[in-house]
Amino acid sequence: MSILLEQFSSLCAIAPTSKAIKTLQPLCNRSGITLFVPDDLENFTPNTVTYKGKLSQHLEEIWSQYQGIIFVFATGAVVRLIAPLLQDKKSDPAVIVMDEAGENIVSLCGGHQGGGETLSRCLAQELGGKAIITGASASLNLPGIDVIGKPFGWRKGKGNWTAVSRAIAHQKPVAVIQEVGSTLWQNHLPENHCFQFETRETEAQVIITDRAVEINPQLSQVLWHPRVLWVGIGCERGTPQNVIQEALETTFKEFGLSESAIAGLATIDIKADELGLVELATEQNYPLKTYTPEELNLVRVPNPSSVVAQEVGTASVAEAAALKVAQASELVVNKQIFKSDQGAVTIAVARSRNEYIGKSGQLYLIGTGPGDINQITPAARAAITEADVILGYGLYLDLIHSLQRPGQIIERYAITEEKKRAERAISLANWGLNVAMVSSGDAGIYGMAGLVFEELTTENWDGKTPAVEVFPGITAMQAAAAKIGAPLMHDFCAISLSDLLTPWNVIKKRLMAAAEGDFITSLYNPRSRSRTEHIKIAQQIFSKHRPPDTPVALVRSVSREDEQITLTTLQEMLDHPIDMLTVVIIGNSSTRQHHHWMITPRGYLGFQP
Ligand code: SAH
């Protein structure tokens, strides 16, 4: 699935000229964006949808059907077109305006809640243009206060959002009172942010809670509700939805809890088809988790009942199910019993440590190329910009700093922590976040992709959840080859000399086969401080099968600041420095050096073995 559609279930673009269509069509095709064009351009444009007559009329028809609309028009024209249609930033689509060449991509409306800012940043990465964002929080390098909880599935509560946004824009102190939910969003705020985590003595406040807090009209307050409350429910057969709902509402009111903080419902398996319960779950979009009596019986509850135990085989339904699904040891609300003419309901509430996000996460395995940011594919750039979390080795994260957007969670790891990194990425994606795992070069060539897949398979991954997408990158061998000409023009292979994960006798066997087979050979991990002999043995093996003047390239830190390129020969290669940042390319028997270029003939001018 396209990165853009991770954020937006429906997008359309409107292109009035053939140049605009040319710019947008490839992107629209691969991302499933509907591309509208005026009917007089019909003949030139496959895979587009035409509209007849006035654009204003067409726009009126499609306005509420799309989450985001991309216009290729003058900004002024778009402002006039959309003015009569704008209603409310909660329901209006995000509006993006861009020029015909895709150089400037303006987030015009719906920047925060509509996701317009993220959309324009992702489009800019895909089209190679610049996102134009004028929102105050973006210029402070902060996520909008009305979107901070979005990645975690938090629900927005009451409050004066405009006043709090204004306080942030003016860099006034804003207290953050966070009682529940993930604090990951706090870890990567810019240095001069205005949030105060220790005090409540401020006029502007962000309260992150599962309580039903009354807004103080004297202050500028907003409420976010992480979905941490699981409602355990037991009921008599046939109890209608409204009775269950009323019981739930009464409980939440009495205990001062916010229904916006509800993660979902839990009950016993025989109630999986209980109509009132199913209707309530469907209507409110709550997950309904069910457990067997045996599972529930193992949960220690404050109010077990022998009557219930006799009836259904467990001493508790509501309390046990709430505790079980929330993985909690104590309840927020003990069993409440409601009886009416139409049925009877029991309700208990437990709080989970991690909020329920309510969507499945994505795992992007991204190759960021050898070093220079220009050598990352546009698709990989868009994925990095879209992700909720970016994980990687610190040095690589620095290289892609300019692709990050405000509000992303960035986790830096040491180079040795590969397993920890993979496990973390998987657990965040399983939780529901979109996670970009970055590797240098290509993620699937001695990179993190393989490890992540291996870890997933040990966890009985079904191949679909979390969804995984691999974004190819330019591997060190290709970048090095490009610097020195065309050394890989014939059959080639790559061999890593690191025996940390591969036995040395296997590596040696492959070296011998490659040498004998006359493959052009790229050696990765050629030498470390402690492992100095392998490169010497490799040189000896190749010397048995190739002439001493066979060209060899030693390319160090390719496309990084300290890049160093040495063209030498098989005989002399060991006289030059070779380290862990070097890739070694050994030519085949027909590879030639011409001035400072290394060329392997393909055979067009005659095959020369
Ligand atoms: N996934 C990476 C390879 C990681 S293994 C890729 O596809 O490029 C690490 C080895 O790759 C290093 O020991 C070195 O041999 C090579 N390497 C990685 N980046 C390099 C660079 N910029 N210049 C030269 N060699 C590099």
Side-chain angles (χ1 to χ4, degrees):
M1 194 203 269
S2 136
I3 291 300
L4 295 174
L5 294 182
E6 296 302 339
Q7 293 272 340
F8 297 86
S9 54
S10 57
L11 286 177
C12 74
I14 306 174
T17 63
S18 39
K19 183 166 178 203
I21 293 165
K22 230 178 178 170
T23 305
L24 276 177
Q25 205 163 26
L27 171 79
C28 289
N29 281 350
R30 70 174 178 267
S31 302
I33 301 173
T34 310
L35 181 57
F36 290 112
V37 302
D39 60 353
D40 46 352
L41 285 174
E42 192 172 10
N43 294 341
F44 308 99
T45 51
N47 289 335
T48 54
V49 180
T50 53
Y51 65 88
K52 287 193 175 46
K54 278 183 135 180
L55 177 57
S56 54
Q57 202 173 346
H58 174 63
L59 194 57
E60 208 178 314
E61 284 161 24
I62 62 167
W63 183 250
S64 53
Q65 289 170 27
Y66 291 93
Q67 276 190 333
I69 306 182
I70 303 159
F71 289 88
V72 191
F73 285 81
T75 323
V78 177
V79 171
R80 276 173 232 289
L81 272 167
I82 66 171
L85 300 170
L86 289 170
Q87 277 174 353
D88 179 342
K89 61 180 171 183
K90 277 197 212 116
S91 55
D92 290 333
V95 176
I96 304 289
V97 187
M98 58 179 258
D99 61 274
E100 279 187 328
E103 279 170 12
N104 296 301
I105 298 148
V106 186
S107 168
L108 190 68
C109 280
H112 290 172
Q113 287 180 51
E117 289 185 1
T118 305
L119 177 57
S120 56
R121 287 182 207 274
C122 290
L123 283 170
Q125 298 304 347
E126 293 247 8
L127 296 169
K130 184 170 178 358
I132 314 284
I133 290 162
T134 55
S137 51
S139 58
L140 293 170
N141 212 11
L142 279 172
I145 198 64
D146 50 355
V147 291
I148 55 163
K150 211 172 157 190
F152 305 102
W154 299 355
R155 293 218 177 86
K156 270 176 71 185
K158 287 184 263 177
N160 190 341
W161 293 88
T162 317
V164 175
S165 298
R166 203 181 308 126
I168 294 171
H170 291 159
Q171 294 197 276
K172 296 215 174 115
V174 176
V176 175
I177 302 153
Q178 180 159 10
E179 298 164 351
V180 293
S182 172
T183 55
L184 278 177
W185 71 275
Q186 300 175 7
N187 293 357
H188 198 66
L189 295 169
E191 257 172 36
N192 298 328
H193 68 79
C194 58
F195 297 122
Q196 311 263 326
F197 295 98
E198 310 297 332
T199 174
R200 290 170 181 230
E201 309 303 311
T202 54
E203 209 180 299
Q205 301 183 341
V206 180
I207 304 170
I208 304 165
T209 182
D210 56 6
R211 293 179 301 122
V213 176
E214 275 311 316
I215 292 289
N216 179 345
Q218 311 296 325
L219 300 173
S220 304
Q221 292 177 316
V222 291
L223 298 180
W224 269 112
H225 298 297
R227 287 144 79 182
V228 289
L229 299 179
W230 286 92
V231 185
I233 303 184
C235 65
E236 271 175 10
R237 182 58 69 192
T239 308
Q241 181 196 344
N242 66 315
V243 174
I244 305 173
Q245 188 155 354
E246 261 174 51
L248 195 153
E249 282 167 12
T250 310
T251 306
F252 270 62
K253 213 176 229 154
E254 192 181 330
F255 288 84
L257 299 171
S258 167
E259 284 178 55
S260 294
I262 294 179
L265 314 178
T267 187
I268 189 168
D269 56 4
I270 47 165
K271 296 281 165 199
D273 61 350
E274 184 66 46
L275 198 59
L277 212 48
V278 173
E279 280 173 356
L280 175 65
T282 313
E283 198 179 289
Q284 301 289 335
N285 209 5
Y286 295 145
L288 175 61
K289 308 268 181 187
T290 57
Y291 298 99
T292 62
E294 295 75 31
E295 285 173 308
L296 296 178
N297 233 346
L298 292 175
V299 183
R300 270 177 52 161
V301 295
N303 300 297
S305 149
S306 51
V307 180
V308 175
Q310 266 185 358
E311 258 176 48
V312 292
T314 166
S316 164
V317 173
E319 290 188 342
L323 286 169
K324 172 108 186 128
V325 67
Q327 295 182 319
S329 55
E330 56 187 69
L331 291 162
V332 179
V333 177
N334 284 7
K335 180 165 74 175
Q336 306 290 304
I337 303 172
F338 298 85
K339 290 200 166 126
S340 83
D341 304 344
Q342 296 168 284
V345 187
T346 55
I347 298 246
V349 183
R351 179 182 292 127
S352 62
R353 207 165 66 83
N354 288 336
E355 56 270 52
Y356 171 72
I357 294 184
K359 67 172 179 72
S360 55
Q362 312 277 323
L363 206 42
Y364 310 137
L365 306 177
I366 300 178
T368 54
D372 189 333
I373 190 141
N374 288 332
Q375 300 198 346
I376 306 181
T377 67
R381 287 161 169 270
I384 293 169
T385 302
E386 188 273 339
D388 301 316
V389 190
I390 308 176
L391 297 178
Y393 167 47
L395 177 72
Y396 306 149
L397 294 179
D398 293 339
L399 291 171
I400 55 162
H401 183 77
S402 63
L403 302 178
Q404 294 169 14
R405 70 181 158 82
Q408 281 180 310
I409 301 157
I410 312 291
E411 295 196 354
R412 303 170 74 90
Y413 287 82
I415 195 148
T416 47
E417 297 175 313
E418 288 102 342
K419 198 161 149 43
K420 201 167 142 194
R421 234 182 293 169
E423 286 165 358
R424 174 72 172 162
I426 293 168
S427 90
L428 291 173
N430 276 334
W431 182 20
L433 295 171
N434 291 354
V435 182
M437 160 79 89
V438 297
S439 265
S440 85
D442 184 278
I445 298 181
Y446 312 123
M448 289 296 297
L451 177 55
V452 170
F453 277 112
E454 278 183 65
E455 288 281 347
L456 281 166
T457 54
T458 63
E459 295 180 16
N460 287 331
W461 181 49
D462 66 356
K464 286 182 271 190
T465 317
V468 178
E469 198 171 338
V470 187
F471 294 81
I474 297 175
T475 185
M477 166 181 74
Q478 284 173 287
K483 291 280 172 179
I484 53 173
L488 306 177
M489 269 302 281
H490 225 288
D491 303 329
F492 64 88
C493 67
I495 298 177
S496 164
L497 297 192
S498 167
D499 60 356
L500 280 180
L501 304 166
T502 314
W504 170 240
N505 62 354
V506 173
I507 300 173
K508 218 163 115 185
K509 197 169 112 188
R510 290 180 185 164
L511 285 169
M512 290 192 287
E516 190 184 349
D518 202 28
F519 288 96
I520 304 143
T521 305
S522 301
L523 302 177
Y524 282 70
N525 303 301
R527 173 148 68 189
S528 72
R529 250 179 252 151
S530 58
R531 179 171 34 77
T532 54
E533 294 307 302
H534 293 186
I535 187 73
K536 293 182 194 161
I537 300 170
Q539 191 262 356
Q540 285 161 11
I541 292 172
F542 277 85
S543 296
K544 281 194 197 134
H545 297 275
R546 294 186 204 178
D549 63 347
T550 303
V552 169
L554 312 175
V555 186
R556 183 178 192 276
S557 287
V558 59
S559 97
R560 296 187 189 154
E561 256 174 41
D562 49 345
E563 176 182 285
Q564 253 181 332
I565 300 173
T566 310
L567 274 194
T568 174
T569 60
L570 191 53
Q571 190 173 28
E572 289 169 5
M573 63 179 266
L574 297 175
D575 303 340
H576 301 275
I578 297 176
D579 64 8
M580 272 308 265
L581 295 175
T582 310
V583 64
V584 177
I585 304 182
I586 303 174
N588 71 7
S589 54
S590 57
T591 304
R592 299 286 171 261
Q593 187 176 339
H594 183 81
H595 299 291
H596 58 286
W597 299 105
M598 182 166 161
I599 306 153
T600 304
R602 172 82 173 87
Y604 294 109
L605 309 181
F607 187 71
Q608 313 156 349

